[in-house]
Amino acid sequence: MTGLTHHLNAMRSFFNTGVTRSADFRKQQLLQLKESILKYEEALNNALYEDLHKNKEEVWITETGMVLSEIATALKELKNWMEPRNVPTNLANLPGKSFLYYEPLGVVLIIAPWNYPFQLLFMPLVGAIAAGNCVVLKPSELASATEKVMGRIIEEAFDPAYILYAPGEGATMIPELMDNFHYDHVFYTGSTAVGKIIYQKAAASLTPVTLELGGKSPCLVTPNASLKVAARRIINIKFSNAGQMCIAPDYVLAHRSIKKEFIRLLKETITKFYGDQPIASYDFGRIINKKHFFRLKALMAEQEIIHGGEHNEEQLFIAPTIIDEPSMDAPVMKEEIFGPLLPVIGYETDEEITSCIRRNENPLAFYIFTGNKKEAERWLREIPFGGGCVNNAATHYLNKHLPFGGRGNSGTGHYHGKFSFETFSHVKGILKTTTWPDIPLAYPSLKGKLGTFKKII
Ligand code: NAD
């Protein structure tokens, strides 16, 4: 038995003791987690700057603040979430009573990517702890400074038989983690390509999965939009973390009547936010590594660059870049961009919008900018996608009352707030009946009772 299998078996035994089931235990662990995060807040800020050039304000908004807020919600709501929920009972089962019981799944595996390396590992962790599970955490190896700090946070706060931190290179670590142990759930965030590997491995043991994947998220800007606000909000999100955000607008579809003016506003806003020298900007990030730097450089090749395009390999810097009218067959319109390149495509008709979006799989997010409520409503219903916003981009992610997730190629399942608790719980449907009255209607013989059954069922 390898050391890792020994650890995983120890987790199973620990879960089977039932210790994680009580509300008090779960609360205690959430408080412990909070304390450890706060202790390492400064170290996290430094590590995220080292890995991605994130400033401490951005780290608070998109990483630590989000996780601490999720912990606060779980602490406040836990008792309520754990209570069996009373639901209506059908006529045939009266005078019985019906309930939903939430129980922990067991030992779960959480796998995270590098773009928000802390938040995307710890947000699901909060849900998994709140739901009473033991957790194996597999961080991304690419955000290596953050990976080390997260290890200290977890290992100081928890016994490895309860929460096990398992860093390492994905291609070798995932088989080690998944091939010899049966998890009760696997929660994966990352690329669609690796998502397929995870899904196949989980399928071998019929392990349920949540897959938080990627895709090309369109931004539709109609002639009814407030163009200034749309430009500000699209630029703010698209170039946050240098575009390395799963729900960043991937490309803009702008109506031809407003496209020229909209591009002028996009350019003006980029300069306003990041200055004439974005490489020197406090607010502009860096590409995670050379592989992604060269991938993005290749996406820019042979494109009509109308703003930006500058890059610096040594600093892993690519300027906020606007690409005009790329061919639909160019890689930049076929792959998820995941970097600071923003294609803008003009459209004239509704058919052009749908045919452009349908060239790729269901997007993770969709954003429509319009002052016309009917128009917004129509597009929200017309396009299949994970989640999205009207007159904004990505901010739906920040509302814990909204489930976050994709559909099909962009993901399966969802989380955040109570949805995380549900994702990491099994819900048992329970009918409680009394021994009196013991109505003989359903007992044999059924002969001659069809009319009565038709009335009550
Ligand atoms: P990735 O798939 O390369 O890595 C994610 C995790 O999988 C890492 O922990 C990594 O170690 C592991 N891994 C990598 N290669 C593996 C392999 N061959 N076998 C097993 N495991 C392996 O993803 P990434 O590059 O870190 O993240 C970028 C992608 O993630 C983008 O597509 C983005 O849209 C998506 N993403 C989605 C969300 C979301 O919430 N839906 C959030 C962030 C990122």
Side-chain angles (χ1 to χ4, degrees):
M1 190 189 294
T2 66
L4 185 59
T5 314
H6 175 78
H7 272 303
L8 295 171
N9 289 338
M11 294 183 88
R12 173 69 63 206
S13 304
F14 184 70
F15 178 75
N16 287 343
T17 63
V19 171
T20 66
R21 288 177 177 265
S22 78
D24 283 348
F25 177 85
R26 301 182 199 187
K27 279 195 171 170
Q28 197 48 47
Q29 307 314 311
L30 289 168
L31 288 169
Q32 191 99 1
L33 180 63
K34 176 180 164 188
E35 196 176 303
S36 196
I37 292 169
L38 289 174
K39 180 174 171 193
Y40 284 99
E41 187 182 348
E42 191 69 28
L44 274 174
N45 286 343
N46 295 337
L48 284 156
Y49 186 82
E50 191 181 327
D51 285 332
L52 288 149
H53 204 270
K54 284 186 195 182
N55 60 54
K56 59 179 190 277
E57 289 82 0
E58 188 181 341
V59 169
W60 179 259
I61 296 168
T62 63
E63 305 255 15
T64 31
M66 276 204 76
V67 172
L68 290 168
S69 164
E70 187 82 344
I71 293 175
T73 302
L75 284 168
K76 184 163 164 265
E77 301 292 340
L78 191 62
K79 272 248 159 75
N80 178 28
W81 291 345
M82 288 174 69
E83 277 297 304
R85 211 162 302 285
N86 201 317
V87 293
T89 300
N90 61 318
L91 187 60
N93 274 318
L94 290 176
K97 287 188 175 160
S98 304
F99 300 88
L100 305 178
Y101 276 66
Y102 292 91
E103 67 174 8
L105 295 175
V107 181
V108 303
L109 170 63
I110 297 174
I111 307 165
W114 50 264
N115 59 330
Y116 292 89
F118 173 75
Q119 188 244 115
L120 292 170
L121 191 70
F122 280 61
M123 285 285 276
L125 172 64
V126 174
I129 291 177
N133 298 283
C134 291
V135 190
V136 179
L137 291 169
K138 160 67 182 81
S140 169
E141 66 276 26
L142 299 190
S144 54
T146 313
E147 183 199 45
K148 287 190 194 88
V149 179
M150 294 191 298
R152 297 217 291 276
I153 292 174
I154 294 300
E155 282 162 6
E156 275 188 29
F158 302 114
D159 187 314
Y162 171 49
I163 312 278
L164 178 70
Y165 194 67
E169 203 210 325
T172 47
M173 198 62 200
I174 293 296
E176 278 188 44
L177 282 168
M178 289 186 76
D179 288 351
N180 300 307
F181 188 76
H182 185 168
Y183 295 92
D184 297 286
H185 194 89
V186 175
F187 186 105
Y188 167 83
T189 306
S191 65
T192 301
V194 174
K196 288 178 184 172
I197 298 174
I198 304 296
Y199 206 175
Q200 276 180 357
K201 283 194 179 295
S205 53
L206 288 181
T207 302
V209 292
T210 302
L211 301 172
E212 298 284 343
L213 310 176
K216 286 184 89 61
S217 300
C219 245
L220 178 59
V221 182
T222 82
N224 300 311
S226 163
L227 297 185
K228 247 188 168 174
V229 174
R232 269 204 294 268
R233 294 183 181 174
I234 291 172
I235 295 298
N236 186 35
I237 299 299
K238 174 69 190 186
F239 296 115
S240 173
N241 202 23
Q244 300 163 114
M245 183 195 290
C246 59
I247 44 173
D250 192 271
Y251 59 92
V252 169
L253 283 162
H255 192 269
R256 288 208 184 279
S257 63
I258 49 98
K259 186 184 158 206
K260 196 163 164 219
E261 170 61 5
F262 191 60
I263 285 180
R264 190 190 69 72
L265 287 166
L266 289 175
K267 290 180 182 178
E268 185 182 278
T269 311
I270 290 174
T271 310
K272 197 166 170 216
F273 285 1
Y274 307 108
D276 291 325
Q277 298 287 325
I279 196 165
S281 167
Y282 178 75
D283 295 291
F284 193 71
R286 293 296 181 267
I287 306 306
I288 185 73
N289 60 19
K290 288 210 175 181
K291 183 178 156 210
H292 283 278
F293 177 84
F294 287 116
R295 177 184 65 79
L296 289 161
K297 247 185 93 178
L299 290 183
M300 277 195 280
E302 292 169 34
Q303 297 303 320
E304 172 79 10
I305 292 174
I306 54 171
H307 190 90
E310 304 86 12
H311 44 83
N312 179 321
E313 181 186 332
E314 201 188 321
Q315 289 202 37
L316 295 174
F317 164 81
I318 296 179
T321 297
I322 302 177
I323 296 172
D324 193 26
E325 297 293 335
S327 148
M328 287 296 140
D329 294 321
V332 77
M333 285 311 293
K334 291 172 103 176
E335 293 167 20
E336 178 184 6
I337 296 174
F338 216 59
L341 318 177
L342 183 64
V344 181
I345 299 142
Y347 75 89
E348 203 82 57
T349 64
D350 288 358
E351 290 68 40
E352 285 176 276
I353 297 172
T354 40
S355 84
C356 177
I357 296 174
R358 286 191 184 140
R359 277 175 162 264
N360 293 296
E361 300 277 356
N362 293 333
L364 178 59
F366 171 71
Y367 308 118
I368 173 158
F369 289 82
T370 175
N372 180 327
K373 284 185 183 161
K374 275 194 177 155
E375 185 177 47
E377 209 55 38
R378 185 161 63 82
W379 285 110
L380 291 180
R381 287 161 201 268
E382 174 93 16
I383 307 291
F385 58 96
C389 307
V390 175
N391 291 319
N392 223 322
T395 41
H396 62 300
Y397 191 86
L398 303 174
N399 182 357
K400 63 180 182 241
H401 300 289
L402 295 175
F404 179 78
R407 54 170 295 183
N409 250 55
S410 57
T412 179
H414 51 240
Y415 72 130
H416 284 184
K418 188 177 178 213
F419 301 103
S420 288
F421 175 83
E422 289 175 351
T423 285
F424 287 106
S425 300
H426 168 70
V427 55
K428 283 173 172 162
I430 302 293
L431 179 77
K432 293 184 181 172
T433 55
T434 51
T435 49
W436 185 91
D438 190 27
I439 301 164
L441 184 67
Y443 297 134
S445 166
L446 303 184
K447 197 169 179 190
K449 297 178 182 170
L450 185 59
T452 314
F453 291 149
K454 282 197 171 178
K455 281 197 189 111
I456 61 174
I457 300 174

